[in-house]
Amino acid sequence: MTDKKIFRDYDQAGLDAQYNNRVRWPDYKEHFANWRVWSAETCAKLPCHLDLAFGPSPMEKLDILPAAQSSLGAGAPLYVFIHGGYWYSLDKADYSYVAEGFRPHGICTAVNNFGLAPDTSMDEIVRQNRAALAWLWRNAKTYGADPERIYVCGHSAGGHLALMLLATDWPAFERDLPAGLVKGACSIGGLHDMEPIRLSYLNKTLKMSPEEANRNSPLLARYPVPAPLSLVVAVDETPEYHRQSEAMADLWRKLGYPVDLLVPPGLNHFDVVNQLRDPSCELVKVQLAEMKKAFTP
C-alpha cells in the first residue's frame, strides 16, 4: 500500500524532503555563520545607515549601504535585497555583505527586515516588505539613491517576497506611490508556488490557510507592470525548486514580459549567494545587465 499523494506525485514524506533544505545540505550552519561574519565585516568597513525604521513594529527596520561614489545629484540605482530563511529565520544582518558586490558599480544597497513566523502571518510579512519599499521610495534621495531606479532581489523566501513586490498595485497600497515603483527583480532559489509550502512540514510554523497561500502565491498573482525578471536556480536544487522557477519563467513569457532563467553549475541552494560579495562574479554581472534593462525607458 502506497502513501497518499498530497501534491503532484509526492506523498507527505516526499514533499517534505523537496523543501527541507537543511536536511539536504547539513552544512547550512556554516553558510549562515559565514554570512553573519562577512556582513559584520562589511558594516565595519563601509559607510552604512543601520536600523532605519520604516514602520512601528520592532522588526520593521532596514539598513542602507550607499554607493561607492556620492551621487547626490542624479542619485545611484537602489538595489534592495530581501533575506531568506523560509519566512521564520535569519535577519538583514546576515546579508549586508551583498553590498560589496554592487557598491563598486555605483549601486546603493538596502537590506530590510520583517516580522517572522509564527508570530507574523504571511499576509503581514508581505505587507511589511511593501511598507519597506514605500519608505525607500520616499527616502531614497536622502541616502544618495534614485527612487526611480529601484531593483529588488531576494534569496529563497526572499525571492518569493521580491515577486510579491512586483505584483503590488502600489497606488492602491498607498495613494502617492507610482505604479512602476519596482523596475525589475531577481529571485534566487525562490518560492513562487505557495500551495506545496502550505501542504509541507513548513506550514506547522507558517500556519497559512488555503486562502492566504493563494493570496501570496506569485504564480497566481497579477503583474501590472512589464518589469524584467531574472530567475536563478542552482543546478543542485531539488526538482520542486526547479519546477517553481520554470513555472514562473513560463508565466512571465505568457505575459510577454522579459525573463531570464539561469542555472548556475556546481552550486546549491545555500552557496549560490556566496559569490554576491564579489563585484566581478557572474551573478552580479547578470543583475547589473538586468538593471540596465529595467532602468532603460
Side-chain angles (χ1 to χ4, degrees), residues 78-124:
L78 180 56
Y79 179 74
V80 183
F81 193 91
I82 308 170
H83 75 76
Y86 268 154
W87 307 276
Y88 71 82
S89 68
L90 298 182
D91 188 272
K92 62 182 173 60
D94 297 310
Y95 286 95
S96 303
Y97 74 88
V98 304
E100 303 220 29
F102 293 93
R103 186 173 186 269
H105 297 287
I107 308 292
C108 178
T109 299
V111 189
N112 63 292
N113 260 352
F114 46 88
L116 301 174
D119 297 329
T120 310
S121 70
M122 189 61 66
D123 283 338
E124 176 62 9

Side-chain angles (χ1 to χ4, degrees), residues 126-135 138 168-177 181:
V126 170
R127 188 206 66 77
Q128 287 185 16
N129 275 269
R130 288 170 172 159
L133 266 288
W135 187 95
R138 294 191 181 101
T168 302
D169 181 346
W170 291 105
F173 182 68
E174 290 181 8
R175 194 172 300 173
D176 62 321
L177 300 176
L181 189 152

Side-chain angles (χ1 to χ4, degrees), residues 13-275:
L15 185 64
D16 289 348
Q18 287 292 303
Y19 291 102
N20 200 331
N21 295 324
R22 297 185 183 191
V23 168
R24 182 177 173 89
W25 296 288
D27 65 345
Y28 74 91
K29 291 182 180 178
E30 295 173 28
H31 293 295
F32 287 5
N34 286 338
W35 299 342
R36 181 59 65 102
V37 169
W38 297 343
S39 294
E41 292 172 350
T42 295
C43 288
K45 69 184 179 183
L46 296 183
C48 53
H49 307 275
L50 304 179
D51 294 324
L52 301 168
F54 63 83
S57 68
M59 290 296 284
E60 289 179 88
K61 291 183 171 63
L62 56 82
D63 300 338
I64 295 178
L65 295 91
Q69 292 82 28
S70 177
S71 326
L72 292 176
L78 180 56
Y79 179 74
V80 183
F81 193 91
I82 308 170
H83 75 76
Y86 268 154
W87 307 276
Y88 71 82
S89 68
L90 298 182
D91 188 272
K92 62 182 173 60
D94 297 310
Y95 286 95
S96 303
Y97 74 88
V98 304
E100 303 220 29
F102 293 93
R103 186 173 186 269
H105 297 287
I107 308 292
C108 178
T109 299
V111 189
N112 63 292
N113 260 352
F114 46 88
L116 301 174
D119 297 329
T120 310
S121 70
M122 189 61 66
D123 283 338
E124 176 62 9
I125 288 171
V126 170
R127 188 206 66 77
Q128 287 185 16
N129 275 269
R130 288 170 172 159
L133 266 288
W135 187 95
L136 284 166
W137 183 80
R138 294 191 181 101
N139 293 277
K141 291 181 181 179
T142 302
Y143 302 96
D146 183 354
E148 302 308 320
R149 292 191 291 168
I150 296 176
Y151 184 90
V152 299
C153 178
H155 176 227
S156 195
H160 158 262
L161 294 167
L163 264 296
M164 293 305 296
L165 294 174
L166 274 188
T168 302
D169 181 346
W170 291 105
F173 182 68
E174 290 181 8
R175 194 172 300 173
D176 62 321
L177 300 176
L181 189 152
V182 177
K183 295 298 190 293
C186 178
S187 175
I188 305 172
L191 288 312
H192 313 119
D193 181 355
M194 297 298 277
E195 183 62 4
I197 304 301
R198 183 186 72 82
L199 294 171
S200 77
Y201 76 99
L202 289 163
N203 212 38
K204 292 177 182 177
T205 301
L206 301 176
K207 304 184 187 305
M208 286 188 293
S209 67
E211 294 77 17
E212 188 174 32
N214 285 345
R215 277 196 302 273
N216 295 292
S217 183
L219 280 172
L220 300 178
R222 298 180 64 184
Y223 296 90
V225 176
L229 173 65
S230 290
L231 298 157
V232 180
V233 55
V235 67
D236 188 15
E237 288 270 26
T238 65
E240 266 295 282
Y241 269 85
H242 282 272
R243 179 192 68 82
Q244 291 234 8
S245 288
E246 289 162 5
M248 199 71 227
D250 287 343
L251 172 59
W252 226 246
R253 292 187 195 103
K254 288 175 183 175
L255 290 171
Y257 298 171
V259 62
D260 288 304
L261 177 60
L262 308 165
V263 185
L267 298 172
N268 64 39
H269 183 75
F270 294 106
D271 61 14
V272 66
V273 292
N274 290 355
Q275 59 184 311

